[in-house]
Amino acid sequence: MMYAVIGLIALCAGILQGVTGFGAGIVMMMVLPYLFPLNQAAGVSCAIAIVLSLSMFWRYRRYIQIQKVIWPAVLYVAVSSISIIFSAMVNQAMMKKVFGVFLILLSAYYLFFNKSREKERNLLVSVIFIGVSGACDGLFGIGGPLMVLFFLGQTHSKEEYLGSIQAVFLVNLVYGTMMRMVNHILTPWHLSYIGIGMVCILVGLAAANKIVDRLDGEKIKKITYVVIGISGIMNVI
């Protein structure tokens, strides 16, 4: 039964991330904590998502401008690592609700009030976006939405956007999985569950690839902002 549940949720996660560029972790973490302790659920989700981000990165690698990826990846991982250390010192339940409200307001702004096209942000704003994103990843396990907003403003096509954000996610996923293995959060017992999840998430990605090729950049952005709002609601409730 666990294999079926993990396979189904991984399939849905692959479809969502294949279309929007993020969201696999959000989908999987809606279910996996019911099957594993929270830290193990996060580890299983992280490990499953590696193959998804690697596949998407490889598909869109030709569109990536490497200078737009290296420093965001380094900053994101650094801030996320520091935040993980301090995560035990904050009230997680309260902070998740605050973060959820923030995501809902952010989604509403971009969907209904921001009529101008995204422009490249200056260095200070970019650092804030990435820093807050990394902090939220370490504190809440949800850093994707803010990285989405950063890369939507820094890239000029859906291919460049998808490739760039997956490159950053891939670095963080590999790092996070290694840390969990070293700390024995992930053990050989988890490998079969991770394996079935990887297969199903790639099936979901294959389905998403057929969808995303028929969508223009603006539709993908609108879908992305809706998912950000849903992510916020899931954190509040």
Side-chain angles (χ1 to χ4, degrees), residues 1-33:
M1 183 63 179
M2 282 184 64
Y3 290 109
V5 173
I6 292 172
L8 179 60
I9 199 64
L11 177 70
C12 295
I15 293 174
L16 177 62
Q17 185 147 329
V19 172
T20 67
F22 86 110
I26 295 171
V27 172
M28 288 191 286
M29 288 302 289
M30 289 169 57
V31 175
L32 291 181

Side-chain angles (χ1 to χ4, degrees), residues 12-91:
C12 295
I15 293 174
L16 177 62
Q17 185 147 329
V19 172
T20 67
F22 86 110
I26 295 171
V27 172
M28 288 191 286
M29 288 302 289
M30 289 169 57
V31 175
L32 291 181
Y34 293 100
L35 305 177
F36 306 98
L38 184 59
N39 60 347
Q40 294 181 21
V44 171
S45 174
C46 181
I48 291 173
I50 287 176
V51 68
L52 174 64
S53 285
L54 177 60
S55 178
M56 292 184 69
F57 164 75
W58 186 256
R59 181 183 184 192
Y60 296 108
R61 68 191 185 282
R62 294 189 301 274
Y63 303 96
I64 300 173
Q65 296 187 38
I66 193 66
Q67 70 274 12
K68 293 183 179 180
V69 172
I70 293 179
W71 74 268
V74 172
L75 179 58
Y76 185 92
V77 171
V79 175
S80 178
S81 300
I82 295 172
S83 298
I84 290 172
I85 297 174
F86 288 99
S87 62
M89 303 179 186
V90 299
N91 186 320

Side-chain angles (χ1 to χ4, degrees), residues 28 55 59 112 116 144 152 161 166 178-179 185:
M28 288 191 286
S55 178
R59 181 183 184 192
F112 303 113
S116 61
L152 284 178
Y161 156 69
Q166 292 310 315
M178 291 175 62
M179 289 294 293
I185 295 172

